[in-house]
Amino acid sequence: MSNLNTTTGLIHKDGKFIGSSVIFPWNEDLLCLTASHNLFGKKFEHSPALENWKVVDHTGLAHPVIELVGNHEQAKEHDIIILKLDCKSALANFTCPKFCSIPKNPAHSLMFRGKYESSKTSVTHRKLTFNSDCDKIAYHFLCDVDKALLTNNTYSSGSDWLGGWSGSGLFIENHKELICAGVMTEIPNKGDDGQIQFVSVTALSALNILGIELPIMDSEELNFDAALNASSLEAIFDAIDEDAITEWENNDINKPQLDYINDKLPNVYPEDQLEKNKRHIIKKLLLGKAYITVELRNNEQLFALYKDAYRVYDLEDRNIYANDKMEARLGVTKIKNEYESYLRDCLGSVFSVSDVKLLAFYGISEWIADCSLSILGNE
């Protein structure tokens, strides 16, 4: 992602900023991918005189536009076009992203980078998610975005003040590689819907671009699992803080589970360690629930694998017979270790070590918080 800024191109006509774009090297050329209405006008009523147009890169250097590549009528219809630039620096200064169709799974976070007219610099906006295809416009789709992003401090919204965003590249945020899925074309309904419209890079196939055949993958071919797990875990750990634990404790709906936790922990820990360990148990419970809800439910294959593994192990006997707190604590640890080893055998080929450990912590915390783990003995 450190190379993202090298793909940002700002389109100028006669020195005036018009819109945003994605610039990248391809073979021996420097190319620019943007919304075609940046050059043809919003109603596609203009024929651009190329000598008036330049694209400014991330260093501030301007590259003249020397060719509108492909079928112009198709470019107007789909609102996407490739420009060939007269590169005024070394191609090595730029990064070529990969290209793919839009991933529609809501687990995939998207981001776009561009500039609007009133901002001094290019900006990156994150946490977009795919919403739906545009039924009436081929290759176009909508993404959800924080509505506050589309309103300024004077409560003007959408295209009233965000002119220049058109052509901004849409990239996949939660992947280790730099992957472009489309460019921005419109902010519908002046942003009141909290949505932005993009055109997919797959529309380039309709432009009959001679000599430029960008490889565009199907998003289903991309390996998201490792990157998804990493990004989700980071976000989940950030969210499950001390305030979240206290809120869970104070919610009446959780009282049955909290009562079980309060009932069992005195059999395991000394009195001066009860509060600390109670909060640890609750945190592991919340982390596991969040991970399963946010991450696994968005990946049907992984969720099915985990669900089947859990269902089988849930048949195991979880009674601990102990003469004192030490034996009870060792019994809890033994069950957790056995469950972790079992999960590693079942899921180790698709889950990371940290994922397996988190799921093991969640399992033991869940069993403590309901009636499926009992600690029996003299104390």
Side-chain angles (χ1 to χ4, degrees):
M1 289 306 160
S2 62
N3 293 320
L4 177 64
N5 67 319
T6 70
T7 68
T8 305
L10 306 181
I11 300 174
H12 289 74
K13 178 186 179 184
D14 295 326
K16 181 182 178 181
F17 171 65
I18 300 296
S20 304
S21 71
V22 179
I23 55 175
F24 57 95
W26 183 253
N27 294 332
E28 301 300 318
D29 294 312
L30 183 62
L31 303 181
C32 172
L33 175 66
T34 189
S36 55
H37 76 257
N38 278 336
L39 287 95
F40 291 103
K42 290 185 178 180
K43 297 181 180 180
F44 301 99
E45 71 276 24
H46 302 309
S47 297
L50 297 188
E51 63 271 16
N52 300 326
W53 294 81
K54 294 182 179 180
V55 179
V56 178
D57 67 21
H58 63 289
T59 69
L61 188 62
H63 307 266
V65 177
I66 58 176
E67 184 181 349
L68 307 181
V69 185
N71 184 305
H72 293 187
E73 293 306 313
Q74 291 287 345
K76 293 178 183 179
E77 179 181 351
H78 301 304
D79 204 0
I80 190 170
I81 196 168
I82 286 183
L83 315 178
K84 187 177 291 187
L85 308 180
D86 180 6
C87 183
K88 295 301 183 180
S89 65
L91 290 176
N93 294 333
F94 304 94
T95 302
C96 185
K98 291 188 175 181
F99 298 92
C100 78
S101 60
I102 179 67
K104 299 182 178 181
N105 190 322
H108 305 322
S109 180
L110 306 168
M111 60 184 177
F112 69 95
R113 181 170 175 80
K115 179 184 178 299
Y116 50 93
E117 190 170 1
S118 58
S119 74
K120 294 181 180 179
T121 60
S122 301
V123 292
T124 302
H125 291 296
R126 304 175 184 274
K127 308 303 179 187
L128 283 75
T129 54
F130 174 82
N131 178 286
S132 61
D133 290 313
C134 296
D135 294 334
K136 297 181 180 180
I137 311 177
Y139 300 110
H140 285 237
F141 57 89
L142 296 170
C143 286
D144 292 325
V145 65
D146 183 357
K147 188 176 177 180
L149 182 65
L150 306 179
T151 304
N152 69 0
N153 56 7
T154 63
Y155 301 101
S156 297
S157 60
S159 55
D160 291 344
W161 69 287
L162 295 176
W165 264 4
S166 289
S168 298
L170 180 69
F171 296 85
I172 300 173
E173 180 178 5
N174 54 343
H175 198 281
K176 62 183 179 181
E177 297 178 289
L178 187 61
I179 303 174
C180 179
V183 295
M184 184 188 298
T185 59
E186 185 182 351
I187 302 174
N189 198 21
K190 293 189 176 182
D192 287 345
D193 302 325
Q195 294 179 341
I196 299 177
Q197 186 170 311
F198 296 87
V199 57
S200 171
V201 292
T202 58
L204 295 173
S205 62
L207 301 188
N208 301 316
I209 300 175
L210 299 177
I212 299 177
E213 296 182 4
L214 297 178
I216 300 174
M217 297 179 290
D218 190 306
S219 59
E220 294 182 358
E221 299 175 10
L222 297 173
N223 177 15
F224 284 98
D225 294 345
L228 272 176
N229 288 346
S231 63
S232 291
L233 279 176
E234 182 179 356
I236 290 168
F237 271 93
D238 287 344
I240 308 301
D241 55 13
E242 288 299 310
D243 289 341
I245 295 170
T246 300
E247 182 179 349
W248 186 91
E249 285 186 282
N250 294 335
N251 191 331
D252 289 341
I253 198 172
N254 300 317
K255 187 177 185 302
Q257 286 187 302
L258 183 60
D259 287 345
Y260 276 120
I261 292 173
N262 288 331
D263 179 60
K264 294 173 186 178
L265 291 193
N267 295 316
V268 181
Y269 298 104
E271 185 175 349
D272 62 345
Q273 296 181 19
L274 286 179
E275 182 63 23
K276 173 185 175 182
N277 283 284
K278 179 181 73 172
R279 296 185 76 81
H280 280 175
I281 292 292
I282 294 171
K283 182 169 186 173
K284 293 169 187 174
L285 188 68
L286 294 178
L287 285 171
K289 284 184 176 179
Y291 179 70
I292 289 170
T293 300
V294 174
E295 175 61 52
L296 295 193
R297 289 190 186 277
N298 286 322
N299 188 314
E300 293 299 321
Q301 183 180 8
L302 294 183
F303 181 68
L305 289 172
Y306 167 73
K307 185 171 64 175
D308 289 344
Y310 179 89
R311 182 185 296 136
V312 172
Y313 197 86
D314 200 39
L315 300 174
E316 287 283 326
D317 178 24
R318 283 184 298 281
N319 286 320
I320 297 173
Y321 298 90
N323 293 310
D324 52 37
K325 287 181 173 63
M326 177 64 75
E327 287 188 6
R329 192 154 59 250
L330 290 174
V332 172
T333 301
K334 181 174 182 291
I335 290 176
K336 196 277 292 183
N337 289 342
E338 289 177 349
Y339 182 51
E340 183 178 335
S341 177
Y342 166 78
L343 287 178
R344 195 179 300 114
D345 290 341
C346 293
L347 308 174
S349 62
V350 290
F351 285 83
S352 71
V353 174
S354 58
D355 298 328
V356 170
K357 188 169 288 291
L358 176 60
L359 291 172
F361 278 134
Y362 170 65
I364 194 70
S365 301
E366 185 180 45
W367 296 324
I368 289 173
D370 61 31
C371 59
S372 62
L373 185 148
S374 298
I375 301 173
L376 309 173
N378 296 328
E379 188 173 347

